[in-house]
Amino acid sequence: MRNEALAGLRDSFAVSPERLRTLTGAFQAEMRRGLAGEPSSLKMLPTYVDRPTGRERGSFLALDMGGTNVRILRAELPGDRTAPRLISAQFSLSREQISTDASVLFGSIARFIGRFLRDHARPGPQKLGFTFSFAIRQTSIARGELIGWTKGWTVEGVVGRDVVELLRRSLEAEGAGEVQVVSLNNDTTGTLMAGAYRDPDCDAGCILGTGTNICYRERTAEIRKPIGPYDREFMVVNMESGNFNVALPRNLYDEALDSRSENPGFQAEEKMVSGKYLGELVRLVVADFCSRGVLFGGRVPDVFLQPGGFGSERLSEIEADDGPEADRVRARLKDWGVEAEAEDARILREASRIVSSRAARLAAAVLSATVTKNDPALAVDHVLAMDGSLFEKYPGFRARMEDTFRELHGAGAGRLRLALVPDGSSFGAAVIAAVSSI
Ligand code: BGC
């Protein structure tokens, strides 16, 4: 019965090579529709910035906000692509600060910046680049309205408002008026810019963390929908790829997760791929297996009872053990209050592998679709700047993505280079501030 249950699970999470190809085509069709301003699950948002030259120089501040950790840094760019000097600090937002209202959120952020400036004093006006890791409708490099929250954020009074203006006001109230917010960007754009600062072949940025998204470099003339003033030949486009929803192999667990989420009907791909949701998918599988008597003697252990209570970092720990007896999985289960037999631990680990492998395959497929839209034969090298805990820390995630590239492109996969750019989203904001100050 257990083998049958696992075989059924494998089937419902399978993504065949044909499905990957169909999905790639559907993704590119959505990209084109979004660029033309036609209805599409991909927003294809203009960012008003192109790759840096590496010659940018000077001192810039960056604010990186989009998870419960807020990062602030100062970067001294030397102007010759060599490593910048960085000073950074990290602050945490409480659950309350990400679920109340705009003044609480931006007031806290301004206080963090005030503290950073006091600890790392420097006289005179300071230019700041702002990474805001949500979908923003930008009308220029330093202006953009929040389209909608994702990743469980629900702060009131921000949707539809210019987040740069909200930040400026709270900085003034904090007495930090010497900080000039000169640019606004999504975290994927920051990551692309940080990657391209180091390597001129970088033309896409991707986050695989709590949420997921991709941006890439597009010919400005291809952006057919109306955009604000911009005079460069290329522009980075923030696709908001987590919202992609065509030709995805969704199953009953995906539907259950979506219907109970804060944003049902949205972020379909993100809900199959990103760190906020993988633990929840496994939790739903465990609950189902228990109800069928396949796991834990048919009783759902407490750690799997609470919706959202089984985080993806736990899946990482489960998959870190590849021993035949799954001893470390059992030990971790014990820490979480579950006495499990070896067979239960092995089934849980297999369920976890099934869910995370699908995530890695889908993540690779949409990245491949992004790059091959403009280079179908993979004629040149593409460096894909990557950031996020799933990509960086989840055992085997990157290797499974690379396997999928080979499955899709054979030897051509050598053209696609995944480059981890740790803290790319914060350093990239400093680079964008520099590019937009020239
Ligand atoms: C947001 C994107 C962001 C991504 C990664 C998604 O939920 O909509 O704007 O880039 O998470 O942080």
Side-chain angles (χ1 to χ4, degrees), residues 133-135 150-151 186-188 207 211-213 240 267 270:
S133 307
F134 298 96
T150 51
K151 300 178 279 197
N186 179 257
D187 51 353
T188 51
I207 304 286
T212 186
N213 186 12
E240 286 296 324
Q267 302 295 102
E270 178 165 272

Side-chain angles (χ1 to χ4, degrees), residues 34-45:
L35 287 170
E38 292 162 15
S40 167
S41 62
L42 296 177
K43 296 192 177 67
M44 308 305 283
L45 301 166

Side-chain angles (χ1 to χ4, degrees), residues 13-321:
F13 279 83
V15 195
S16 66
E18 303 76 68
R19 173 64 80 128
L20 284 181
R21 294 210 166 78
T22 312
L23 202 142
T24 306
F27 191 87
Q28 293 176 346
E30 288 286 272
M31 285 172 83
R32 294 197 176 88
R33 275 193 283 273
L35 287 170
E38 292 162 15
S40 167
S41 62
L42 296 177
K43 296 192 177 67
M44 308 305 283
L45 301 166
T47 65
Y48 303 92
V49 74
D50 187 22
R51 283 198 295 219
T53 59
R55 291 190 298 276
E56 296 72 20
R57 55 185 300 148
S59 170
F60 298 91
L61 289 172
L63 161 66
D64 183 357
M65 161 179 165
T68 43
N69 287 330
V70 173
R71 211 176 172 77
I72 298 171
L73 65 74
R74 179 179 288 133
E76 314 278 346
L77 305 179
D80 58 2
R81 270 196 208 282
T82 55
R85 222 163 61 85
L86 302 177
I87 306 172
S88 70
Q90 193 153 302
F91 303 88
S92 294
L93 287 170
S94 63
R95 179 152 279 284
E96 194 213 337
Q97 285 163 323
I98 65 166
S99 54
T100 45
D101 64 43
S103 61
V104 171
L105 175 65
F106 283 90
S108 315
I109 301 290
R111 273 194 297 285
F112 297 154
I113 295 180
R115 211 181 305 162
F116 182 88
L117 294 177
R118 279 192 293 282
D119 291 347
H120 308 285
R122 189 176 172 279
Q126 322 213 12
K127 293 183 171 165
L128 177 139
F130 179 15
T131 295
F132 187 69
S133 307
F134 298 96
I136 31 183
R137 186 167 292 113
Q138 278 184 255
T139 43
S140 72
I141 188 65
R143 209 190 144 76
E145 291 170 0
L146 173 63
I147 298 175
W149 289 119
T150 51
K151 300 178 279 197
W153 284 50
T154 54
V155 182
E156 278 182 30
V158 188
V159 174
R161 304 205 30 213
D162 176 12
V163 291
V164 173
E165 191 51 36
L166 290 171
L167 177 62
R168 275 188 194 133
R169 275 201 222 144
S170 61
L171 284 169
E172 269 160 35
E174 177 63 22
E178 75 271 33
V179 177
Q180 303 165 355
V181 188
V182 296
S183 56
L184 171 67
N185 61 273
N186 179 257
D187 51 353
T188 51
T189 315
T191 302
L192 184 155
M193 295 294 279
Y197 178 80
R198 289 172 199 142
D199 189 329
D201 285 338
C202 177
D203 54 9
C206 171
I207 304 286
L208 283 165
T210 307
T212 186
N213 186 12
I214 304 172
C215 72
Y216 75 112
R217 196 170 176 246
E218 181 60 277
R219 208 169 275 286
T220 311
E222 290 289 308
I223 310 174
R224 304 260 158 72
K225 62 185 172 188
I227 60 170
Y230 180 77
D231 57 12
R232 298 188 60 180
E233 191 188 351
F234 285 89
M235 190 195 286
V236 175
V237 173
N238 167 16
M239 294 197 277
E240 286 296 324
S241 57
N243 194 48
F244 176 62
N245 67 6
V246 182
L248 288 171
R250 289 200 346 151
N251 60 36
L252 291 174
Y253 302 108
D254 297 309
E255 277 156 25
L257 182 148
D258 180 51
S259 66
R260 295 183 210 162
S261 68
E262 289 99 1
N263 51 355
F266 293 96
Q267 302 295 102
E269 191 252 5
E270 178 165 272
K271 286 171 181 161
M272 301 168 90
V273 166
S274 85
K276 179 162 170 59
Y277 303 101
L278 296 188
E280 179 65 2
L281 283 173
V282 170
R283 193 191 70 81
L284 292 170
V285 171
V286 167
D288 177 34
F289 275 24
C290 288
S291 75
R292 288 153 57 193
V294 177
L295 254 182
F296 303 125
R299 204 192 127 258
V300 184
D302 289 354
V303 66
F304 297 105
L305 276 179
Q306 191 63 26
F310 195 74
S312 302
E313 61 298 336
R314 289 187 163 159
L315 297 192
S316 283
E317 294 179 39
I318 291 171
E319 287 195 52
D321 175 4

